Amino acid sequence: QVQLVESGGGLVQAGDSLRLSCAASGLADHPYVMGWFRQTPGKEREFVAAISHGGNTYYRDSIEGRFSISRDNAKNTVSLQMNSLEPEDTAVYYCAASNDVVFVRSRERYRYWGQGTQVTVST
């Protein structure tokens, strides 16, 4: 059984940093792409960042340079370092896994999802 568990969310002020982590289990020995998505009420879940098994990274245009995704394949973890947070970054952040190495920005391609962690950035 695949399980993705996010941690690290919280309430911070604009300009602060947060580091989200995702612990994956049950994925077996498969080169999954790991991604982070976020969602606010009334809006679609949107792509934030992704990283391939080999370490290729992909980012949403609006966050590139502020966020950094990384993974530890030995520990089956993926992290999202978020710097210079803005109120517009407020959302529930989800960790996800996909075996599609091409359409890494498409949420429909992700088969497994975590429960999400809330990030709130105040002014």
Side-chain angles (χ1 to χ4, degrees):
Q1 181 179 356
V2 176
Q3 191 172 21
L4 304 177
V5 179
E6 303 97 336
S7 61
L11 172 63
V12 296
Q13 293 185 331
D16 286 350
S17 298
L18 271 179
R19 186 177 182 85
L20 304 183
S21 296
C22 173
S25 60
L27 286 176
D29 188 18
H30 185 88
Y32 282 96
V33 171
M34 299 300 297
W36 286 96
F37 288 75
R38 65 187 182 187
Q39 188 171 22
T40 55
K43 294 188 178 180
E44 293 186 347
R45 193 169 297 186
E46 65 181 23
F47 170 77
V48 175
I51 184 167
S52 70
H53 192 267
N56 294 324
T57 57
Y58 311 85
Y59 295 97
R60 181 179 188 81
D61 289 345
S62 63
I63 61 94
E64 192 160 7
R66 297 190 297 122
F67 292 10
S68 178
I69 189 170
S70 60
R71 68 188 289 168
D72 185 328
N73 291 330
K75 296 181 178 179
N76 292 321
T77 59
V78 60
S79 298
L80 184 68
Q81 177 66 42
M82 305 186 295
N83 299 325
S84 301
L85 282 162
E86 304 170 352
E88 293 73 22
D89 296 317
T90 295
V92 177
Y93 283 71
Y94 296 90
C95 173
S98 168
N99 57 11
D100 188 328
V101 299
V102 177
F103 298 101
V104 298
R105 293 178 171 84
S106 298
R107 66 180 185 275
E108 295 82 4
R109 299 292 186 173
Y110 285 78
R111 181 175 181 181
Y112 302 108
W113 293 85
Q115 293 299 307
T117 185
Q118 176 71 46
V119 172
T120 303
V121 184
S122 64
T123 56

